[in-house]
Amino acid sequence: MSLKRSLAELADRVLQLSRVVAERQNVPDVRTYEHDRDWVLRQINKLPRPLTVWVLDNRYRTTTLDGFRAVIQWDKTNLRRYIAEFWDCDDYSLRFKSNVAAVFLVNAVGFVVDWSEPECAHAYNVLFTEDVGPMVYEPQNDRMMEVSEARRYCQYKMADYVLVV
């Protein structure tokens, strides 16, 4: 058996096991779609140009806007108490990104650090959806916004920002 085939079978088994665990924890079943790195780069091109982009994978899974809504409703990251410097915006964003990848195997969630307005420096997420394109997501309060709407607020200006997907 080839290494590639063994890895593919192992990945399928991990997906099956994660679904079994999900069923036992009231995790919603969301439909996923798989894309290559070029798809993610095309999605990133729909955003204002980041200072730096790190695209970490060659394959990406995403879901629809409604799928992300179901994930957000299930995820409890927003319930964590804010503690400046110890549990703040970057921690919320990294936690949400990690939860979505670990539970749903959806890795088309970006981690953004935005320094566009120094008094409003902030970290948040960008969701690369299957059906409506990139959406800004605030994991501290579960607010999802279109990019054009989010950019009206100083913490989401996307003029000087770094994106990790």
Side-chain angles (χ1 to χ4, degrees), residues 52-95:
T52 303
V53 176
W54 288 355
V55 179
L56 303 177
D57 295 306
N58 289 316
R59 303 290 304 162
Y60 283 85
R61 283 198 180 126
T62 189
T63 187
T64 62
L65 181 61
D66 285 340
F68 274 116
R69 284 184 177 129
V71 168
I72 289 165
Q73 185 175 9
W74 167 84
D75 181 73
K76 303 303 180 211
T77 300
N78 64 306
L79 299 180
R80 181 80 186 238
R81 185 171 61 96
Y82 181 96
I83 304 169
E85 302 304 328
F86 298 101
W87 187 266
D88 53 10
C89 59
D90 58 304
D91 302 295
Y92 282 92
S93 300
L94 286 168
R95 173 73 176 267

Side-chain angles (χ1 to χ4, degrees), residues 77-141:
T77 300
N78 64 306
L79 299 180
R80 181 80 186 238
R81 185 171 61 96
Y82 181 96
I83 304 169
E85 302 304 328
F86 298 101
W87 187 266
D88 53 10
C89 59
D90 58 304
D91 302 295
Y92 282 92
S93 300
L94 286 168
R95 173 73 176 267
F96 179 77
K97 179 174 177 41
S98 176
N99 284 352
V100 175
V103 175
F104 299 93
L105 298 179
V106 169
N107 58 343
V109 175
F111 169 69
V112 174
V113 179
D114 194 329
W115 294 284
S116 302
E117 301 280 339
E119 67 277 4
C120 299
H122 193 48
Y124 51 92
N125 299 107
V126 172
L127 311 177
F128 295 99
T129 69
E130 178 68 17
D131 52 349
V132 298
M135 298 287 290
V136 170
Y137 172 63
E138 176 54 70
Q140 292 183 56
N141 62 17

Side-chain angles (χ1 to χ4, degrees), residues 1-3 11-12 17 24 27 30 33 36 41 44-45 51-52 56 66 73 81 86 88-90 98 130 147:
M1 182 180 294
S2 72
L3 178 62
D12 287 342
L17 290 172
R24 294 177 182 222
V27 176
V30 296
Y33 303 84
D36 62 13
L41 292 171
I44 291 169
N45 284 335
L51 292 172
T52 303
L56 303 177
D66 285 340
Q73 185 175 9
R81 185 171 61 96
F86 298 101
D88 53 10
C89 59
D90 58 304
S98 176
E130 178 68 17
V147 173

